[in-house]
């Protein structure tokens, strides 16, 4: 017996008329992709979960490729909830993104919620050409209301022109290294998120490091990128902070 294995694939391409076509839009198992109305040359796709999960032993993946001149906004219709399953193996959720020169991707999913008893490893890998643009938001909520979290490990890697711009990991919940809930990391808060913005103009005019809220910071990254890291008491407050940060960078 094994968990569910599924990979959804998206390819965005400039259509020659000022818009973006989607020559590849492949749903798989519980990962259903739906194109929605876009504007200003941008294609929009929603990821719709067709079943609960990921559960123990599941292997989910999303692969998105944006070609030169194309613009894609990719989101999800609802939060992803990591749940315990019959299998004791960890679940995995991998996101792989490639954006060519002149391409632009906004990856803005709803939060990931780590339910009690779950065990999930999330990896997001982004490869950008030097002239690509990216807005990426990740939000993780540890436990449902009044519930202890499951085990959650996440890694986010961003490369620009083949060079690593960001490579960070976070582990929370049972089995995580000691101190994850202490004053140096989450300080008792149950929502954590990051916002990565990559723009070619940041190479000439990098952002300045600053505190954006009592629990959020903005720092420039090596290369044309900026990182906002935030923690909050709950997902609603976290979203508000990250939205304010994105408006600040706009």
């Amino acid at each position: 017996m094994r968990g569910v294995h599924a990979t959804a694939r998206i390819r965005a391409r400039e259509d020659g008329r000022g818009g973006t076509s989607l020559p590849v839009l492949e749903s798989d198992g519980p990962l259903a992709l739906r194109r929605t109305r876009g504007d200003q040359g941008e294609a929009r796709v929603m990821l719709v979960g067709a079943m609960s999960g990921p559960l123990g032993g599941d292997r989910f993946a999303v692969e998105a490729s944006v070609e030169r001149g194309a613009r894609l906004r990719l989101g999800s219709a609802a939060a992803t909830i990591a749940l315990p399953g019959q299998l004791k193996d960890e679940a995995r959720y991998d996101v792989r993104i490639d954006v060519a020169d002149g391409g632009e991707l906004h990856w803005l999913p709803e939060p990931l919620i780590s339910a009690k008893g779950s065990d999930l490893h999330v990896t997001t890998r982004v490869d950008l050409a030097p002239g690509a643009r990216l807005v990426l938001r990740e939000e993780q909520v540890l436990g449902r209301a009044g519930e202890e979290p499951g085990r959650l490990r996440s890694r986010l890697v961003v490369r620009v022109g083949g060079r690593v711009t960001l490579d960070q990991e976070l582990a929370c919940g049972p089995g995580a290294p000691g101190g994850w809930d202490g004053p140096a990391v989450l300080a008792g808060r149950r929502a954590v998120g990051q916002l990565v913005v990559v723009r070619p103009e940041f190479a000439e005019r990098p952002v300045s490091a600053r505190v954006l809220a009592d629990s959020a910071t903005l720092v420039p990254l090596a290369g044309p990128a900026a990182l906002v890291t935030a923690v909050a008491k709950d997902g609603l407050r976290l979203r508000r902070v990250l939205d304010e940060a994105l408006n600040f960078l706009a």
Side-chain angles (χ1 to χ4, degrees), residues 141-185:
V141 179
L142 305 180
R144 294 169 290 193
E147 177 185 67
E148 291 299 310
R151 186 181 187 190
L152 176 63
R153 283 150 294 167
S154 66
R155 185 179 182 189
L156 172 59
V157 181
V158 179
R159 297 184 180 90
V160 180
R163 301 180 64 180
V164 175
T165 294
L166 175 68
D167 188 343
Q168 68 176 24
E169 293 188 62
L170 177 68
C172 303
W180 67 268
D181 202 21
V185 188

Side-chain angles (χ1 to χ4, degrees), residues 27-34 47-53 60:
S27 303
D28 187 16
L31 302 176
L33 299 171
R34 300 290 183 264
L47 180 63
V48 181
M51 59 181 284
S52 297
F60 291 177

Side-chain angles (χ1 to χ4, degrees), residues 18-20 37-44 69 71 73 104:
T20 298
R37 185 182 298 275
D39 58 12
Q40 299 179 348
E42 178 184 76
R44 296 189 179 186
R71 298 175 60 212
R73 181 179 294 262
E104 182 173 348

Side-chain angles (χ1 to χ4, degrees), residues 99-106 128-135 198-201:
V99 186
D101 267 318
E104 182 173 348
L105 174 69
H106 289 223
L128 305 171
R133 293 175 176 270
L134 173 75
V135 176
V198 180
R199 294 175 181 158
E201 55 265 32

